[in-house]
């Protein structure tokens, strides 16, 4: 998930909670502009503590996992050859 996708999830959760950006930002010690930048995906990075605080305030959790392994070109070709021979 990239920062823009994270921003969309946070924005949707904030709106579902009925909070304005200012209402969310104030108790977290953040500015409304920071919340806006995060939601719009225009920030270059989000600190882990900030992300944890935002998620906690919105009832979200953070899940960390290894990315799915993408096949190499060789593996992809071999897999597609096997599919063609079954047809």
């Amino acid at each position: 998930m990239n920062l823009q996708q994270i921003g969309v999830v946070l924005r949707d959760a904030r709106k579902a909670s009925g909070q304005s950006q200012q209402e969310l930002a104030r108790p977290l010690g953040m500015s409304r502009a920071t919340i806006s930048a995060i939601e719009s995906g225009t920030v270059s990075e989000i600190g882990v503590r900030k992300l944890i605080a935002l998620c906690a305030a919105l009832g979200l959790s953070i899940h960390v996992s290894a990315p799915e392994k993408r096949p190499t070109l060789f593996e992809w070709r071999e897999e597609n050859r096997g599919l063609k021979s079954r047809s």
Side-chain angles (χ1 to χ4, degrees), residues 7 10 27 39 44 46-47 49 53 64 66 71 80 82 87:
L10 292 171
E39 289 182 356
S44 59
I46 303 173
R49 288 187 179 120
V64 178
N80 283 328
S87 304

Side-chain angles (χ1 to χ4, degrees), residues 2-82:
N2 63 36
L3 289 177
Q4 190 165 13
Q5 293 167 321
I6 290 170
V8 168
V9 171
L10 292 171
R11 183 197 66 220
D12 291 347
R14 177 187 56 77
K15 286 184 175 185
S17 75
Q19 297 181 75
S20 68
Q21 291 177 338
Q22 183 64 42
E23 290 168 332
L24 176 60
R26 188 177 299 122
L28 298 175
M30 296 180 201
S31 69
R32 187 215 51 83
T34 297
I35 300 297
S36 177
I38 291 169
E39 289 182 356
S40 66
T42 58
V43 294
S44 59
E45 62 181 44
I46 303 173
V48 171
R49 288 187 179 120
K50 192 175 287 187
L51 183 57
I52 290 170
L54 282 166
C55 287
L58 295 168
L60 300 173
S61 62
I62 299 173
H63 175 80
V64 178
S65 63
E68 293 183 24
K69 180 182 175 261
R70 297 178 76 184
T72 64
L73 180 58
F74 177 77
E75 291 168 338
W76 181 81
R77 283 182 180 163
E78 289 301 308
E79 183 178 308
N80 283 328
R81 283 186 185 143

